[in-house]
């Protein structure tokens, strides 16, 4: 169940629980394996996020059912497109967050166009739609979670670090997409999902070099 939330872009547990109409503490119990969800909870995962129940119970097959609303394109196909409930997200083709050692931030931040996203889809991911924008991921350090060449929907309103979520970070003018962990000694760990890349740590006195651009709420591989 933790893998499902991770696959949905790691929304905060409270927002994810609210979308399922389940308490945050109950979701935490399920994700830690301290309680076993009943059939009604499994159906919520299926109906709200398109999770395949066979996969959820046995681990066999694919996590999401074919044509599930987890994919934004399929979400649009399954919903009434005549409703004016879309937000036009700016897309920055020249801004690439490195899933590797680091990409230099370009001098210009002029949007190259816009992409329409359904507001309810973004809200379901725990995002603030009007504060989101789209950039690109380059490199393999976040694989298998985020493949090279993926687009990233970044919520720039979420700059407070929530343990274990994925963020776009500006570190000394290098733009990174990484998972972030906060330790009790105030150290920030910048973690790659690819185990070939060791985590990096920033001590409290080094945090002036770090700026959280926003949380990655959605990503998808491009053709």
């Amino acid at each position: 169940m933790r893998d499902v939330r991770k696959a949905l872009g790691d929304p905060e547990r409270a927002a994810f629980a609210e979308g399922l109409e389940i308490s945050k503490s109950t979701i935490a119990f399920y994700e830690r394996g301290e309680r076993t969800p009943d059939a009604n909870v499994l159906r919520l995962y299926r109906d709200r996020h398109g999770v395949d129940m066979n996969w959820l119970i046995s681990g066999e097959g694919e996590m999401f059912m074919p044509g599930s609303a987890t994919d934004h394109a399929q979400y649009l196909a399954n919903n009434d497109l005549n409703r004016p409930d879309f937000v036009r997200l700016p897309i920055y083709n020249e801004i690439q967050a490195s899933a590797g050692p680091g990409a230099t931030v370009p001098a210009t931040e002029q949007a190259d166009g816009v992409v329409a996203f359904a507001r309810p889809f973004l809200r379901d991911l725990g995002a603030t739609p009007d504060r989101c924008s789209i950039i690109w991921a380059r490199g393999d350090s976040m694989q298998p979670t985020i493949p090279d060449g993926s687009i990233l929907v970044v919520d720039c309103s979420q700059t407070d670090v929530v343990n274990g979520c994925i963020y776009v970070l500006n570190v000394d003018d290098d733009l990174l997409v990484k998972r972030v962990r906060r330790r009790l000694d105030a150290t920030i760990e910048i973690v790659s999902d690819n185990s070939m890349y060791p985590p990096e740590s920033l001590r409290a006195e080094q945090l002036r070099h770090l700026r959280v651009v926003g949380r990655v709420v959605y990503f998808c591989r491009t053709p």
Side-chain angles (χ1 to χ4, degrees):
M1 298 180 86
R2 172 68 182 86
D3 288 343
V4 171
R5 190 158 60 89
K6 179 178 176 181
L8 292 169
D10 259 353
E12 295 180 19
R13 188 174 283 155
F16 184 72
E18 183 179 355
L20 291 171
E21 299 179 2
I22 298 174
S23 72
K24 180 176 69 172
S25 59
T26 299
I27 292 291
F29 285 132
Y30 293 153
E31 292 186 355
R32 292 196 297 263
E34 297 173 4
R35 291 184 187 173
T36 301
D38 60 22
N40 289 330
V41 173
L42 299 183
R43 280 193 288 269
L44 282 173
Y45 273 70
R46 179 197 65 190
D47 296 342
R48 300 289 175 87
H49 296 298
V51 179
D52 187 289
M53 291 184 70
N54 180 59
W55 176 89
L56 197 55
I57 294 169
S58 68
E60 298 177 355
E62 298 295 326
M63 180 183 296
F64 296 108
M65 297 181 296
S68 73
T70 301
D71 178 75
H72 185 254
Q74 192 62 44
Y75 182 95
L76 298 182
N78 290 344
N79 286 271
D80 181 3
L81 300 186
N82 293 319
R83 294 178 300 169
D85 202 11
F86 292 83
V87 60
R88 294 159 64 88
L89 303 186
I91 183 168
Y92 299 90
N93 291 329
E94 298 302 317
I95 299 182
Q96 300 178 0
S98 175
T104 303
V105 180
T108 178
E109 291 190 3
Q110 180 67 39
D112 298 290
V114 295
V115 177
F117 266 75
R119 289 179 187 273
F121 178 83
L122 294 173
R123 291 194 193 103
D124 285 348
L125 298 176
T128 303
D130 292 307
R131 296 296 306 279
C132 291
S133 57
I134 298 173
I135 62 174
W136 298 83
R138 297 298 181 197
D140 65 352
S141 75
M142 287 301 290
Q143 291 183 352
T145 307
I146 300 179
D148 179 30
S150 297
I151 66 167
L152 308 175
V153 177
V154 183
D155 183 355
C156 296
S157 73
Q158 299 189 44
T159 57
D160 292 334
V161 171
V162 175
N163 236 12
C165 288
I166 299 173
Y167 292 87
V168 172
L169 309 170
N170 189 331
V171 183
D172 281 339
D173 288 334
D174 283 342
L175 204 62
L176 309 173
V177 54
K178 300 288 182 183
R179 197 173 297 278
V180 180
R181 297 194 181 118
R182 187 189 297 276
R183 290 168 39 180
L184 292 177
D185 61 1
T187 298
I188 293 290
E189 280 193 336
I190 301 174
V191 182
S192 301
D193 282 6
N194 186 337
S195 59
M196 293 179 61
Y197 292 80
E200 300 181 27
S201 298
L202 292 176
R203 298 184 303 275
E205 64 271 19
Q206 296 175 306
L207 294 183
R208 66 182 183 277
H209 300 290
L210 170 69
R211 182 172 69 87
V212 179
V213 177
R215 185 171 73 85
V216 176
V217 295
Y218 178 73
F219 49 84
C220 64
R221 188 199 304 265
T222 55

